[in-house]
Amino acid sequence: MTQSAAWFWLVVAGLCDVAWAIAMKYAQGYTRPGWSLVSLVLLGIFVYLLGRTLDVLPVGTAYAVWTGIGAVGTVVMGVWLFGETLHPLRLAGVALVIAGIAALKWAPA
């Protein structure tokens, strides 16, 4: 896998992480079988993709970027789908996470 492909699949893994978190919310504590299955499938996909990217990318960078995508994406989706509040302090936290992801992406390995 090339470096570019690894970054692409890492972003896909992060987006699957966001989808997994949303599916878990809809699964309501794994009491809804359909959403529970969706969440488990997404879990398997993002773990597999993250693992594949670790063959190419540094583990610390890949893990931090993946969790950052998941954190920011889940905040955005929580606001959009569930009406969660977006207080200025939460926005500042999201901005810091994005800045950290950018720094890790462009820092020398």
Side-chain angles (χ1 to χ4, degrees):
M1 176 183 305
T2 66
Q3 188 98 3
S4 295
W7 280 107
F8 172 79
W9 289 116
L10 183 61
V11 169
V12 172
L15 295 174
C16 287
D17 183 30
V18 174
W20 167 74
I22 299 306
M24 279 190 42
K25 173 84 170 171
Y26 284 129
Q28 297 176 347
Y30 288 101
T31 60
R32 297 176 68 194
W35 281 109
S36 298
L37 180 61
V38 169
S39 78
L40 293 173
V41 168
L42 287 165
L43 174 67
I45 291 169
F46 81 64
V47 167
Y48 172 77
L49 292 175
L50 178 61
R52 290 295 314 264
T53 66
L54 296 179
D55 291 339
V56 177
L57 303 175
V59 66
T61 300
Y63 185 75
V65 169
W66 169 74
T67 58
I69 292 168
V72 171
T74 303
V75 167
V76 169
M77 295 304 290
V79 169
W80 186 49
L81 293 173
F82 307 116
E84 296 174 2
T85 60
L86 197 52
H87 186 274
L89 195 53
R90 289 185 80 195
L91 278 174
V94 167
L96 288 171
V97 170
I98 292 170
I101 291 169
L104 287 168
K105 165 77 170 88
W106 289 303

